[in-house]
Amino acid sequence: AQKITQTQPGMFVQEKEAVTLDCTYDTSDPSYGLFWYKQPSSGEMIFLIYQGSYDQQNATEGRYSLNFQKARKSANLVISASQLGDSAMYFCAMREGIYPGANNLFFGTGTRLTVIP
Amino acid sequence: KAGVTQTPRYLIKTRGQQVTLSCSPISGHRSVSWYQQTPGQGLQFLFEYFSETQRNKGNFPGRFSGRQFSNSRSEMNVSTLELGDSALYLCASSLESGAVSPLHFGNGTRLTVT
C-alpha cells in the first residue's frame, strides 16, 4: 500500500481564492510527522508546514494551514488567498517514528497547482 | 543563515563513469539525507547520515554510496552510471535525526547520463 496518496494530479485556483490539496497517509506507527513541500519549476523543495501525530492543534504557517484528521488519516493543505507565485508542484510527505534514523520521508506523487489571474 | 547548498547544479556524464555530488547543510544541522527524484519513480530516499554515520538506507543498489565529514558536509557517489540514474538528486538537512525538526532541501543536482 502507498504510504502517501495524493489523488489530485492537477488543480486550478483563481487568484485570491482558497484551495485545498488532498493528502491521505497510511501508517501503523503511532508516532509520525506529516510535511508539505512546494517545488517550483526551479527544482528546489521548499518546506511549508509540519504536523506531528501528537499535535492537538492543526498547524498553521501564514497562508498555509494543515487540516489534520487523524481518524481519517488525512492531512490536507489549505492555501488561503492564492497568489500567482503559488503555482508549483506540492508534495505531501510522512516520516514514521521519531527514533534516530527515521529521517526518511515517504512522498506522495504531488499535485500541480496553477493559479489563474 | 545560508540554506542547504548543493554542487554542482548540473552534471552530464556518460554510462559507466562515476560521479560525486556535494552537499553542505545548514549551519548547525547534523543530519543529511539524500533523495532521488525522477518522473517515473517520484521522490525516493537514498540514505541518511548523522554524525558521520549512515543511519538509514533506501532500496538502492550498492553503486550508490555516501559519506559525511566531521563538519557535517556530505558527498554522494554513484559508480558505473546507468541511463536510469538520470535524475534530480536532492540533499536535505535537519537539526537532528528522527526528531520533529523538518528537513530543509537544497536546490538539487540535475544529473544527466548519456
Side-chain angles (χ1 to χ4, degrees), chain B residues 4-5 11 19 34 36 41 69 91 97 102 105-107:
Chain B
V4 178
T5 304
L11 211 45
V19 67
W34 289 89
Q36 181 196 64
Q41 299 298 317
F69 302 95
C91 166
S97 170
F105 285 81
N107 288 345

Side-chain angles (χ1 to χ4, degrees), chain A residues 37 39 95 98 100-101 103 105, chain B residues 35 37 55-56 97-99 103:
Chain A
Y37 285 88
Q39 188 177 42
R95 170 202 280 148
I98 56 173
N103 245 8
L105 297 185
Chain B
Y35 288 80
Q37 185 177 25
R55 288 293 188 96
N56 201 352
S97 170
L103 275 65

Side-chain angles (χ1 to χ4, degrees), chain A residues 5-75:
Chain A
T5 302
Q6 294 180 255
T7 57
Q8 307 154 314
M11 288 281 285
F12 291 87
V13 64
Q14 206 73 38
E15 196 178 3
K16 299 184 181 134
E17 297 291 311
V19 63
T20 298
L21 306 184
D22 294 342
C23 172
T24 57
Y25 60 92
D26 183 32
T27 181
S28 56
D29 196 317
S31 301
Y32 54 89
L34 296 156
F35 303 79
W36 277 93
Y37 285 88
K38 171 185 177 182
Q39 188 177 42
S41 54
S42 56
E44 62 187 310
M45 293 283 282
I46 302 168
F47 166 70
L48 296 177
I49 198 165
Y50 168 81
Q51 179 86 42
S53 59
Y54 297 116
D55 294 342
Q56 296 295 318
Q57 308 266 16
N58 284 347
T60 60
E61 289 284 351
R63 295 187 297 112
Y64 304 106
S65 60
L66 201 151
N67 184 2
F68 181 47
Q69 297 188 44
K70 200 168 180 177
R72 298 178 64 182
K73 293 191 173 179
S74 76

Side-chain angles (χ1 to χ4, degrees), chain B residues 49-64:
Chain B
Y49 287 87
F50 183 82
S51 294
E52 302 178 66
T53 302
Q54 187 179 90
R55 288 293 188 96
N56 201 352
K57 191 177 191 309
N59 190 23
F60 278 83
R63 301 184 297 106
F64 292 82

